[in-house]
Amino acid sequence: MPIMALAGDIIPTTTWANFYGSVTAYNDNPIPVGSIIDAYDPDGIYCGTDTVDISGKYGFLAVYGDDSRTDDIDEGANPGDSITFYINGRMAVANGPELPVWTELGGESEVNLSASAMLGIESVAMPGDQTTFPGQTVRYYVTVRNTGEGIDFYTISGSTSHGWIIKPMIGFVYALPGGEATIYFDVLIPTAIFHAMTDVVDFRVSSGIDASVYVEGSAITSVEIPTDVGDENEVLLPEGFRLNQNYPNPFNPATTISFDLTSKAAVEFEVFNLLGQTIEHQDLGMLGAGSHSIEFDGHDLASGIYFYRIKVGEGVQVRKMVLMK
């Protein structure tokens, strides 16, 4: 059996033949997206590879031929050679309808393949709890070991108890049998958090071949409020404007929000719910010194507590309002 090589070990030449399969299986199921198909000539030379991007199919897989002008190097197949295929490191059976025989440049052969392997996964390193601040992104790493018989590849998913946004790592992470893979996901902490709180993050690392093969766990994200921020009505940076309490408060369905500027400045207005999700965002542009007001309509919102925020340059002020229907 050839030792599985890296894709970089293939030596492309000016001659190749294309192979493809329209009904290709792994573990008796359509071959999954992300699977790797490798090709070897009779001398065990690694001369072609393809990553599946359509379930159940592969190709065109270019299998390179030997360059006769380089007598001291065997780069690949010769006309009439039988090609051996591997799926995820497991020897595949060639099911036709055509023979897996290398032809001259430009040849195309449909050779459907099948292979199988026992799958297995175990956790190696699970993420610990983390402490962060509002508006930050927290990254959690998970390391797993492939305890199966062939190459496996993994995806990660997760959720939080407060419904915060999770961004999983894009793409697959691969591991040889007995090898390890590290994969991560990011948790986006909302900006509009005004008191210390914790959130439970549940995650799952799944085999890309069979999602029923997985490990899972949880971690806790603790969000702290910086000690130099003070209470929710305090100016952060810099001073030079004032955000007033909305009126009326509680309100139904509309209220007026006013603020005062001491000089001309660019102003943004935002409203958040208790989960830190943005309800409204307005770029008010450059406003002159003096008093200004905004009419906020909560007609489409549910009763509850909301936070409104004014940003003036790098300065921020936040206040709480109550919609009561």
Side-chain angles (χ1 to χ4, degrees), residues 132-149:
T132 187
F133 299 98
Q136 301 299 304
T137 297
V138 181
R139 178 163 291 182
Y140 288 98
Y141 290 91
V142 185
T143 300
V144 298
R145 179 178 290 112
N146 177 5
T147 59
E149 295 176 330

Side-chain angles (χ1 to χ4, degrees), residues 226-300:
T227 57
D228 59 346
V229 171
D231 64 32
E232 66 187 32
N233 295 328
E234 184 178 342
V235 177
L236 301 184
L237 280 175
E239 295 186 3
F241 70 98
R242 176 179 176 81
L243 177 60
N244 302 311
Q245 187 64 53
N246 64 301
Y247 181 83
N249 189 44
F251 66 98
N252 179 26
T255 188
T256 299
I257 298 168
S258 63
F259 57 96
D260 303 312
L261 301 179
T262 59
S263 61
K264 184 177 180 180
V267 180
E268 292 182 50
F269 169 69
E270 296 171 294
V271 178
F272 303 90
N273 61 19
L274 282 172
L275 296 179
Q277 297 167 325
T278 303
I279 302 301
E280 182 163 340
H281 177 271
Q282 296 183 33
D283 186 346
L284 303 180
M286 295 295 296
L287 299 179
S291 297
H292 303 271
S293 63
I294 300 170
E295 295 296 321
F296 177 73
D297 189 343
H299 178 80
D300 295 328

Side-chain angles (χ1 to χ4, degrees), residues 42 72 90 114 312:
D72 56 336
R90 301 286 288 176
S114 61
V312 178

